[in-house]
Amino acid sequence: MAVKKEAFGTMPNGCEISLYTVTNENGLSASFTDLGAIWVRMIVPDKDGAMDDILLGYDNGDGYLGNGPHMGSVVGRVANRTGNASFRLDGRLYTLGKNDGKNNLHSGPDYFDKRLWMGTASGEDTVAFFLESPDGDQGFPGNAKITVKYTLTAENTVEITYIFCCDNDTPMNLTNHAYFNLGGHSSGSVLNHKVQIYADMFTPSAADSIPTGEICMVEKTPMDFRTLKPIGAEIDSDYAQLLQAGGYDHNWCLNHIPGVYALAATAVEENSGRTMDVYTDRPGMQFYTANWLEGEKGKDGTVYGKRGAFCFETQMYPDAVNKPQFASSVIFAGRTYISKTGYHFYTGTQANGKRL
């Protein structure tokens, strides 16, 4: 089955916004738009075969032109936070927009998810989006060429491949900001979801959510998700990291070797039977529990509320460009950087290496 392309709205300048939908042989479908290279829908079955969309979002392009929470967005050049909205590179100080107190969040306010990317369908299972980011864009150096490829496999995995090249040294930390609710996008709180994160350590943050530079063990803290645990089990604990963030909004230091594509996290919603595994070659993952989502009108008139979704944002560690003790997020001039993250959906258990 070929990729389906349809109209999805209109940009303020009159350009048409398109939606691309990929459906696999198992009936799962994933939809993406050239507005921001956004992941719009993910239709998956529950344990009884009933299909539902497990991504929070909007009905059309007009909704995504707003999209304050960045639902499904490709975030860059540098996702997450940059302290003091600035960094030094090759002896020069670069200044970004201050859109999170004195800091920068997701390279805004001129976000990638408000731009029209060039979309191309490839075969029956892949959509690629391309964007040129000129020198000085968002405050970053160099002319960058960025491609984000989405593939829906026969094994029910959405693979996201990020390809980045720049003619100047520059920091880069692309991620996807999908908001998941495995019970269905309109099913409310995700506190009953169980989560496992394959990480022994995390990066604690200061009150402004900028990492302190420390790397701490999760053991004997509410940040310990080394075995499956309900999101709500300790989210309201009297623990400074959770109190200041209003819940989970932190970077976990994944156990696998950076650069090696490996299992990073699992989420389970037992009522529907849906499970999602996340694989990545990135060293970190931001686990966010939609602590600041409130009164957001989304798909089918649904009003999304606090903790009505969670995000698994694979990434370099936040503020890495200002933290020499963290793995560097700098991409060197002329080199092509390729990274992959996969979201695998299934019900039931694993048998002989095959998801049932």
Side-chain angles (χ1 to χ4, degrees):
M1 179 176 178
V3 176
K4 178 183 177 182
K5 180 181 178 182
E6 58 190 308
F8 197 54
T10 306
M11 296 290 289
N13 63 3
C15 290
E16 183 177 285
I17 302 168
S18 297
L19 184 73
Y20 299 79
T21 299
V22 184
T23 304
N24 73 6
E25 60 194 30
N26 304 314
L28 280 75
S29 70
S31 298
F32 316 96
T33 177
D34 50 11
L35 172 58
I38 292 170
W39 188 1
V40 173
R41 301 179 193 133
M42 188 68 221
I43 311 296
V44 297
D46 66 8
K47 59 188 177 184
D48 299 316
M51 308 296 279
D52 204 350
D53 186 356
I54 53 87
L55 287 183
L56 275 63
Y58 307 94
D59 292 322
N60 51 46
D62 288 343
Y64 286 100
L65 285 169
N67 197 12
H70 306 291
M71 294 184 190
S73 299
V74 168
V75 184
R77 290 186 191 185
V78 174
N80 217 308
R81 293 170 175 85
T82 301
N84 294 313
S86 63
F87 61 93
R88 287 192 175 274
L89 181 62
D90 299 333
R92 178 179 170 183
L93 177 66
Y94 293 90
T95 301
L96 313 178
K98 294 181 179 179
N99 63 338
D100 188 41
K102 65 178 182 178
N103 304 309
N104 178 268
L105 177 62
H106 297 326
S107 299
D110 186 9
Y111 302 103
F112 278 0
D113 64 3
K114 301 299 182 287
R115 307 185 193 184
L116 197 64
W117 297 47
M118 184 174 71
T120 306
S122 178
E124 298 181 350
D125 61 359
T126 299
V127 181
F129 298 103
F130 175 76
L131 181 73
E132 292 194 38
S133 177
D135 182 39
D137 189 18
Q138 301 174 318
F140 295 102
N143 298 288
K145 295 182 178 181
I146 304 163
T147 299
V148 177
K149 293 172 62 177
Y150 293 99
T151 299
L152 176 60
T153 74
E155 290 74 34
N156 302 338
T157 299
V158 172
E159 295 179 347
I160 308 177
T161 304
Y162 303 96
I163 305 170
F164 184 99
C165 184
C166 190
D167 62 4
N168 199 99
D169 295 353
T170 191
M172 188 283 297
N173 186 26
L174 296 168
T175 193
N176 189 282
H177 210 300
Y179 283 64
F180 298 99
N181 187 322
L182 299 181
H185 77 93
S186 61
S187 63
S189 172
V190 295
L191 295 185
N192 67 319
H193 284 54
K194 293 182 178 179
V195 163
Q196 183 171 7
I197 303 175
Y198 300 90
D200 296 331
M201 296 175 286
F202 78 106
T203 53
S205 300
D208 61 358
S209 296
I210 298 296
T212 63
E214 302 168 277
I215 296 177
C216 295
M217 302 297 293
V218 300
E219 187 175 8
K220 297 182 180 179
T221 78
M223 317 304 278
D224 191 349
F225 283 90
R226 290 176 297 172
T227 58
L228 276 175
K229 180 177 74 175
I231 292 174
E234 298 180 279
I235 196 170
D236 291 318
S237 298
D238 185 19
Y239 181 67
Q241 288 294 306
L242 296 179
L243 291 173
Q244 68 192 24
Y248 295 105
D249 188 11
H250 299 79
N251 171 68
W252 270 255
C253 307
L254 301 173
N255 288 342
H256 71 255
I257 299 171
V260 175
Y261 187 71
L263 184 62
T266 297
V268 179
E269 204 283 309
E270 292 179 340
N271 291 330
S272 67
R274 295 188 182 97
T275 298
M276 179 179 74
D277 289 337
V278 181
Y279 295 80
T280 190
D281 53 18
R282 309 301 288 281
M285 187 188 76
Q286 191 86 2
F287 174 42
Y288 173 53
T289 48
N291 310 316
W292 307 109
L293 187 64
E294 194 67 50
E296 187 74 14
K297 188 174 180 180
K299 298 173 182 175
D300 306 319
T302 302
V303 177
Y304 301 130
K306 181 178 180 180
R307 299 174 180 170
F310 67 93
C311 303
F312 281 161
E313 304 161 63
T314 60
Q315 61 181 1
M316 305 301 293
Y317 297 175
D319 200 33
V321 72
N322 290 316
K323 300 286 191 299
Q325 65 270 47
F326 291 171
S328 177
S329 60
V330 174
I331 303 301
F332 295 108
R335 297 188 184 179
T336 298
Y337 176 86
I338 301 175
S339 177
K340 186 171 76 170
T341 293
Y343 297 87
H344 176 54
F345 303 95
Y346 60 99
T347 59
T349 58
Q350 184 175 15
N352 299 321
K354 182 179 180 181
R355 300 296 185 183
L356 302 180

